mmCIF file of all heavy atoms in Angstrom:
data_model
loop_
_atom_site.group_PDB
_atom_site.id
_atom_site.type_symbol
_atom_site.label_atom_id
_atom_site.label_comp_id
_atom_site.label_asym_id
_atom_site.label_seq_id
_atom_site.Cartn_x
_atom_site.Cartn_y
_atom_site.Cartn_z
ATOM 1 N N ALA A 668 21.983 107.304 -67.089
ATOM 2 C CA ALA A 668 23.107 107.509 -67.962
ATOM 3 C C ALA A 668 24.391 106.904 -67.465
ATOM 4 O O ALA A 668 24.638 106.990 -66.288
ATOM 5 C CB ALA A 668 23.270 109.054 -68.291
ATOM 6 N N ASN A 669 25.171 106.317 -68.254
ATOM 7 C CA ASN A 669 26.509 105.815 -67.977
ATOM 8 C C ASN A 669 27.381 106.991 -67.640
ATOM 9 O O ASN A 669 27.253 108.086 -68.139
ATOM 10 C CB ASN A 669 27.188 105.094 -69.130
ATOM 11 C CG ASN A 669 26.422 103.695 -69.381
ATOM 12 O OD1 ASN A 669 25.713 103.212 -68.430
ATOM 13 N ND2 ASN A 669 26.724 103.190 -70.522
ATOM 14 N N GLU A 670 28.367 106.718 -66.752
ATOM 15 C CA GLU A 670 29.313 107.858 -66.391
ATOM 16 C C GLU A 670 30.608 107.541 -67.217
ATOM 17 O O GLU A 670 31.142 106.382 -67.239
ATOM 18 C CB GLU A 670 29.727 107.744 -64.934
ATOM 19 C CG GLU A 670 28.593 108.078 -64.013
ATOM 20 C CD GLU A 670 28.976 108.033 -62.572
ATOM 21 O OE1 GLU A 670 30.125 108.101 -62.185
ATOM 22 O OE2 GLU A 670 28.121 107.850 -61.710
ATOM 23 N N VAL A 671 31.127 108.540 -67.898
ATOM 24 C CA VAL A 671 32.310 108.476 -68.702
ATOM 25 C C VAL A 671 33.357 109.255 -67.840
ATOM 26 O O VAL A 671 33.269 110.421 -67.498
ATOM 27 C CB VAL A 671 32.194 109.201 -70.069
ATOM 28 C CG1 VAL A 671 33.551 109.178 -70.732
ATOM 29 C CG2 VAL A 671 31.103 108.422 -70.899
ATOM 30 N N ASP A 672 34.361 108.512 -67.384
ATOM 31 C CA ASP A 672 35.415 109.040 -66.484
ATOM 32 C C ASP A 672 36.249 110.090 -67.210
ATOM 33 O O ASP A 672 36.746 109.795 -68.364
ATOM 34 C CB ASP A 672 36.276 107.924 -65.924
ATOM 35 C CG ASP A 672 37.332 108.387 -64.909
ATOM 36 O OD1 ASP A 672 37.281 109.575 -64.551
ATOM 37 O OD2 ASP A 672 38.046 107.615 -64.419
ATOM 38 N N THR A 673 36.289 111.337 -66.679
ATOM 39 C CA THR A 673 37.214 112.399 -67.287
ATOM 40 C C THR A 673 38.216 112.865 -66.322
ATOM 41 O O THR A 673 38.790 113.910 -66.485
ATOM 42 C CB THR A 673 36.243 113.528 -67.697
ATOM 43 O OG1 THR A 673 35.575 114.097 -66.599
ATOM 44 C CG2 THR A 673 35.329 113.134 -68.832
ATOM 45 N N THR A 674 38.473 112.003 -65.344
ATOM 46 C CA THR A 674 39.423 112.379 -64.302
ATOM 47 C C THR A 674 40.931 112.523 -64.804
ATOM 48 O O THR A 674 41.409 111.558 -65.535
ATOM 49 C CB THR A 674 39.523 111.428 -63.115
ATOM 50 O OG1 THR A 674 38.138 111.244 -62.732
ATOM 51 C CG2 THR A 674 40.314 111.774 -61.954
ATOM 52 N N ILE A 675 41.513 113.643 -64.428
ATOM 53 C CA ILE A 675 42.930 113.879 -64.889
ATOM 54 C C ILE A 675 43.667 114.460 -63.620
ATOM 55 O O ILE A 675 43.135 115.478 -63.064
ATOM 56 C CB ILE A 675 43.037 115.022 -66.047
ATOM 57 C CG1 ILE A 675 42.290 114.466 -67.246
ATOM 58 C CG2 ILE A 675 44.475 115.285 -66.279
ATOM 59 C CD1 ILE A 675 42.265 115.497 -68.307
ATOM 60 N N PRO A 676 44.733 113.819 -63.179
ATOM 61 C CA PRO A 676 45.445 114.346 -62.078
ATOM 62 C C PRO A 676 45.929 115.797 -62.400
ATOM 63 O O PRO A 676 46.251 116.088 -63.587
ATOM 64 C CB PRO A 676 46.599 113.387 -61.943
ATOM 65 C CG PRO A 676 46.260 112.134 -62.633
ATOM 66 C CD PRO A 676 45.309 112.551 -63.751
ATOM 67 N N ASP A 677 46.147 116.584 -61.269
ATOM 68 C CA ASP A 677 46.671 117.875 -61.505
ATOM 69 C C ASP A 677 48.106 117.834 -61.688
ATOM 70 O O ASP A 677 48.882 117.355 -61.046
ATOM 71 C CB ASP A 677 46.508 118.612 -60.032
ATOM 72 C CG ASP A 677 46.799 120.093 -60.187
ATOM 73 O OD1 ASP A 677 47.465 120.536 -61.069
ATOM 74 O OD2 ASP A 677 46.452 120.869 -59.227
ATOM 75 N N CYS A 678 48.467 118.348 -63.011
ATOM 76 C CA CYS A 678 49.912 118.327 -63.377
ATOM 77 C C CYS A 678 50.872 119.312 -62.545
ATOM 78 O O CYS A 678 51.899 118.942 -62.425
ATOM 79 C CB CYS A 678 49.906 118.728 -64.899
ATOM 80 S SG CYS A 678 49.224 117.568 -65.909
ATOM 81 N N ALA A 679 50.235 120.237 -61.992
ATOM 82 C CA ALA A 679 51.023 121.220 -61.153
ATOM 83 C C ALA A 679 51.219 120.696 -59.804
ATOM 84 O O ALA A 679 52.219 120.990 -59.159
ATOM 85 C CB ALA A 679 50.326 122.639 -61.169
ATOM 86 N N ASN A 680 50.332 119.750 -59.361
ATOM 87 C CA ASN A 680 50.616 119.169 -57.976
ATOM 88 C C ASN A 680 50.206 117.713 -58.149
ATOM 89 O O ASN A 680 49.158 117.229 -57.645
ATOM 90 C CB ASN A 680 49.572 119.884 -57.001
ATOM 91 C CG ASN A 680 49.655 119.360 -55.567
ATOM 92 O OD1 ASN A 680 50.654 118.691 -55.342
ATOM 93 N ND2 ASN A 680 48.766 119.768 -54.761
ATOM 94 N N PRO A 681 51.059 116.850 -58.691
ATOM 95 C CA PRO A 681 50.703 115.438 -58.911
ATOM 96 C C PRO A 681 50.608 114.676 -57.674
ATOM 97 O O PRO A 681 50.007 113.649 -57.723
ATOM 98 C CB PRO A 681 51.912 114.902 -59.751
ATOM 99 C CG PRO A 681 52.958 115.969 -59.695
ATOM 100 C CD PRO A 681 52.317 117.253 -59.217
ATOM 101 N N GLY A 682 51.133 115.145 -56.600
ATOM 102 C CA GLY A 682 51.025 114.341 -55.291
ATOM 103 C C GLY A 682 49.672 114.794 -54.597
ATOM 104 O O GLY A 682 49.376 114.093 -53.509
ATOM 105 N N GLY A 683 48.915 115.769 -54.994
ATOM 106 C CA GLY A 683 47.784 116.152 -54.287
ATOM 107 C C GLY A 683 46.611 115.194 -54.565
ATOM 108 O O GLY A 683 46.646 114.278 -55.354
ATOM 109 N N ALA A 684 45.475 115.612 -53.808
ATOM 110 C CA ALA A 684 44.351 114.738 -54.017
ATOM 111 C C ALA A 684 43.784 114.905 -55.474
ATOM 112 O O ALA A 684 43.817 115.974 -56.154
ATOM 113 C CB ALA A 684 43.202 115.210 -53.095
ATOM 114 N N VAL A 685 43.285 113.770 -55.979
ATOM 115 C CA VAL A 685 42.735 113.842 -57.322
ATOM 116 C C VAL A 685 41.248 113.850 -57.286
ATOM 117 O O VAL A 685 40.548 113.131 -56.684
ATOM 118 C CB VAL A 685 43.211 112.467 -58.141
ATOM 119 C CG1 VAL A 685 42.494 112.444 -59.497
ATOM 120 C CG2 VAL A 685 44.690 112.398 -58.305
ATOM 121 N N GLN A 686 40.686 114.920 -58.011
ATOM 122 C CA GLN A 686 39.242 115.114 -58.068
ATOM 123 C C GLN A 686 38.699 114.274 -59.152
ATOM 124 O O GLN A 686 39.009 114.507 -60.322
ATOM 125 C CB GLN A 686 38.856 116.597 -58.204
ATOM 126 C CG GLN A 686 37.373 116.852 -58.526
ATOM 127 C CD GLN A 686 36.569 116.487 -57.306
ATOM 128 O OE1 GLN A 686 36.820 116.943 -56.194
ATOM 129 N NE2 GLN A 686 35.476 115.706 -57.468
ATOM 130 N N ARG A 687 37.838 113.345 -58.778
ATOM 131 C CA ARG A 687 37.157 112.579 -59.843
ATOM 132 C C ARG A 687 36.210 113.372 -60.652
ATOM 133 O O ARG A 687 35.269 114.229 -59.991
ATOM 134 C CB ARG A 687 36.399 111.440 -59.208
ATOM 135 C CG ARG A 687 35.713 110.455 -60.305
ATOM 136 C CD ARG A 687 34.907 109.278 -59.591
ATOM 137 N NE ARG A 687 34.301 108.490 -60.478
ATOM 138 C CZ ARG A 687 33.217 108.841 -61.188
ATOM 139 N NH1 ARG A 687 32.639 109.963 -61.095
ATOM 140 N NH2 ARG A 687 32.664 108.019 -62.037
ATOM 141 N N THR A 688 36.192 113.385 -61.886
ATOM 142 C CA THR A 688 35.241 114.045 -62.751
ATOM 143 C C THR A 688 34.560 113.040 -63.717
ATOM 144 O O THR A 688 35.217 112.080 -64.026
ATOM 145 C CB THR A 688 35.817 115.232 -63.465
ATOM 146 O OG1 THR A 688 36.898 114.753 -64.260
ATOM 147 C CG2 THR A 688 36.427 116.233 -62.538
ATOM 148 N N ALA A 689 33.330 113.374 -64.208
ATOM 149 C CA ALA A 689 32.694 112.567 -65.246
ATOM 150 C C ALA A 689 31.850 113.356 -66.067
ATOM 151 O O ALA A 689 31.515 114.508 -65.760
ATOM 152 C CB ALA A 689 32.063 111.431 -64.494
ATOM 153 N N GLU A 690 31.364 112.783 -67.168
ATOM 154 C CA GLU A 690 30.389 113.347 -67.984
ATOM 155 C C GLU A 690 29.424 112.215 -68.395
ATOM 156 O O GLU A 690 29.737 111.130 -68.346
ATOM 157 C CB GLU A 690 31.009 114.056 -69.203
ATOM 158 C CG GLU A 690 31.778 113.158 -70.186
ATOM 159 C CD GLU A 690 32.346 113.950 -71.289
ATOM 160 O OE1 GLU A 690 32.733 115.117 -71.076
ATOM 161 O OE2 GLU A 690 32.556 113.274 -72.338
ATOM 162 N N PRO A 691 28.212 112.618 -68.857
ATOM 163 C CA PRO A 691 27.209 111.607 -69.135
ATOM 164 C C PRO A 691 27.616 110.872 -70.499
ATOM 165 O O PRO A 691 28.025 111.446 -71.388
ATOM 166 C CB PRO A 691 25.863 112.420 -69.280
ATOM 167 C CG PRO A 691 26.333 113.784 -69.521
ATOM 168 C CD PRO A 691 27.688 114.023 -68.811
ATOM 169 N N GLY A 692 27.339 109.635 -70.427
ATOM 170 C CA GLY A 692 27.565 108.707 -71.640
ATOM 171 C C GLY A 692 26.277 108.297 -72.183
ATOM 172 O O GLY A 692 25.318 109.077 -72.275
ATOM 173 N N ILE A 693 26.111 107.069 -72.518
ATOM 174 C CA ILE A 693 24.934 106.448 -73.055
ATOM 175 C C ILE A 693 23.817 106.547 -72.074
ATOM 176 O O ILE A 693 23.888 106.207 -70.796
ATOM 177 C CB ILE A 693 25.228 104.986 -73.448
ATOM 178 C CG1 ILE A 693 26.303 104.890 -74.502
ATOM 179 C CG2 ILE A 693 23.870 104.303 -73.810
ATOM 180 C CD1 ILE A 693 26.693 103.421 -74.737
ATOM 181 N N VAL A 694 22.698 107.102 -72.519
ATOM 182 C CA VAL A 694 21.461 107.155 -71.678
ATOM 183 C C VAL A 694 20.570 105.977 -71.812
ATOM 184 O O VAL A 694 20.677 105.275 -72.833
ATOM 185 C CB VAL A 694 20.609 108.471 -72.001
ATOM 186 C CG1 VAL A 694 21.338 109.761 -71.806
ATOM 187 C CG2 VAL A 694 20.078 108.403 -73.369
ATOM 188 N N ASN A 695 19.920 105.689 -70.761
ATOM 189 C CA ASN A 695 19.076 104.433 -70.676
ATOM 190 C C ASN A 695 17.592 104.866 -70.224
ATOM 191 O O ASN A 695 17.524 105.621 -69.302
ATOM 192 C CB ASN A 695 19.610 103.461 -69.685
ATOM 193 C CG ASN A 695 18.776 102.059 -69.697
ATOM 194 O OD1 ASN A 695 18.395 101.684 -70.688
ATOM 195 N ND2 ASN A 695 18.765 101.591 -68.535
ATOM 196 N N ARG A 696 16.640 104.365 -70.934
ATOM 197 C CA ARG A 696 15.236 104.562 -70.554
ATOM 198 C C ARG A 696 14.527 103.220 -70.635
ATOM 199 O O ARG A 696 14.532 102.578 -71.620
ATOM 200 C CB ARG A 696 14.533 105.518 -71.593
ATOM 201 C CG ARG A 696 15.259 106.812 -71.799
ATOM 202 C CD ARG A 696 15.192 107.698 -70.548
ATOM 203 N NE ARG A 696 15.793 108.944 -70.705
ATOM 204 C CZ ARG A 696 16.930 109.400 -70.166
ATOM 205 N NH1 ARG A 696 17.684 108.546 -69.477
ATOM 206 N NH2 ARG A 696 17.372 110.629 -70.413
ATOM 207 N N THR A 697 14.090 102.772 -69.414
ATOM 208 C CA THR A 697 13.444 101.485 -69.248
ATOM 209 C C THR A 697 12.215 101.584 -68.416
ATOM 210 O O THR A 697 12.202 102.149 -67.383
ATOM 211 C CB THR A 697 14.475 100.484 -68.480
ATOM 212 O OG1 THR A 697 15.696 100.496 -69.199
ATOM 213 C CG2 THR A 697 13.954 99.118 -68.433
ATOM 214 N N PHE A 698 11.238 100.928 -69.024
ATOM 215 C CA PHE A 698 9.866 100.807 -68.214
ATOM 216 C C PHE A 698 9.721 99.364 -67.786
ATOM 217 O O PHE A 698 9.942 98.481 -68.592
ATOM 218 C CB PHE A 698 8.721 101.158 -69.056
ATOM 219 C CG PHE A 698 7.394 101.160 -68.422
ATOM 220 C CD1 PHE A 698 6.813 102.247 -67.632
ATOM 221 C CD2 PHE A 698 6.676 100.054 -68.385
ATOM 222 C CE1 PHE A 698 5.724 102.234 -67.015
ATOM 223 C CE2 PHE A 698 5.464 99.974 -67.758
ATOM 224 C CZ PHE A 698 4.911 101.163 -67.108
ATOM 225 N N SER A 699 9.406 99.135 -66.546
ATOM 226 C CA SER A 699 9.204 97.760 -66.036
ATOM 227 C C SER A 699 7.831 97.815 -65.399
ATOM 228 O O SER A 699 7.378 98.792 -64.715
ATOM 229 C CB SER A 699 10.224 97.357 -65.008
ATOM 230 O OG SER A 699 11.442 97.413 -65.616
ATOM 231 N N GLY A 700 7.159 96.689 -65.455
ATOM 232 C CA GLY A 700 5.863 96.520 -64.858
ATOM 233 C C GLY A 700 5.588 95.075 -64.532
ATOM 234 O O GLY A 700 5.976 94.185 -65.160
ATOM 235 N N SER A 701 4.642 94.963 -63.490
ATOM 236 C CA SER A 701 4.115 93.551 -63.133
ATOM 237 C C SER A 701 2.727 93.780 -62.736
ATOM 238 O O SER A 701 2.268 94.786 -62.351
ATOM 239 C CB SER A 701 5.006 92.852 -62.023
ATOM 240 O OG SER A 701 4.980 93.676 -60.936
ATOM 241 N N GLY A 702 2.028 92.626 -62.850
ATOM 242 C CA GLY A 702 0.581 92.627 -62.420
ATOM 243 C C GLY A 702 -0.149 91.414 -62.851
ATOM 244 O O GLY A 702 0.503 90.354 -63.082
ATOM 245 N N LYS A 703 -1.409 91.569 -62.985
ATOM 246 C CA LYS A 703 -2.307 90.443 -63.371
ATOM 247 C C LYS A 703 -2.531 90.483 -64.877
ATOM 248 O O LYS A 703 -2.848 91.436 -65.465
ATOM 249 C CB LYS A 703 -3.691 90.607 -62.719
ATOM 250 C CG LYS A 703 -3.609 90.667 -61.212
ATOM 251 C CD LYS A 703 -3.041 89.386 -60.552
ATOM 252 C CE LYS A 703 -2.967 89.503 -59.012
ATOM 253 N NZ LYS A 703 -2.192 88.405 -58.437
ATOM 254 N N PHE A 704 -2.217 89.274 -65.498
ATOM 255 C CA PHE A 704 -2.294 89.189 -67.024
ATOM 256 C C PHE A 704 -3.808 89.449 -67.338
ATOM 257 O O PHE A 704 -4.673 88.710 -66.794
ATOM 258 C CB PHE A 704 -1.805 87.932 -67.475
ATOM 259 C CG PHE A 704 -1.779 87.882 -68.934
ATOM 260 C CD1 PHE A 704 -0.852 88.666 -69.738
ATOM 261 C CD2 PHE A 704 -2.695 87.058 -69.695
ATOM 262 C CE1 PHE A 704 -0.841 88.639 -71.075
ATOM 263 C CE2 PHE A 704 -2.729 87.034 -71.087
ATOM 264 C CZ PHE A 704 -1.772 87.878 -71.827
#
């Protein structure tokens, strides 16, 4: 699944460390194979 960035800096402590957050976006389902025809 793609990651959708939901990171928001802390308004009460704008100089502090920013915690990265995300939620799932578009999902992907892929099957791959190889072999003898």
Side-chain angles (χ1 to χ4, degrees):
N669 290 342
E670 295 179 21
V671 176
D672 187 1
T673 59
T674 306
I675 300 173
D677 186 347
C678 292
N680 183 13
V685 177
Q686 173 65 53
R687 182 186 181 283
T688 60
E690 62 185 29
I693 297 171
V694 298
N695 182 36
R696 305 295 183 250
T697 305
F698 181 91
S699 297
S701 63
K703 303 297 181 192
F704 185 74

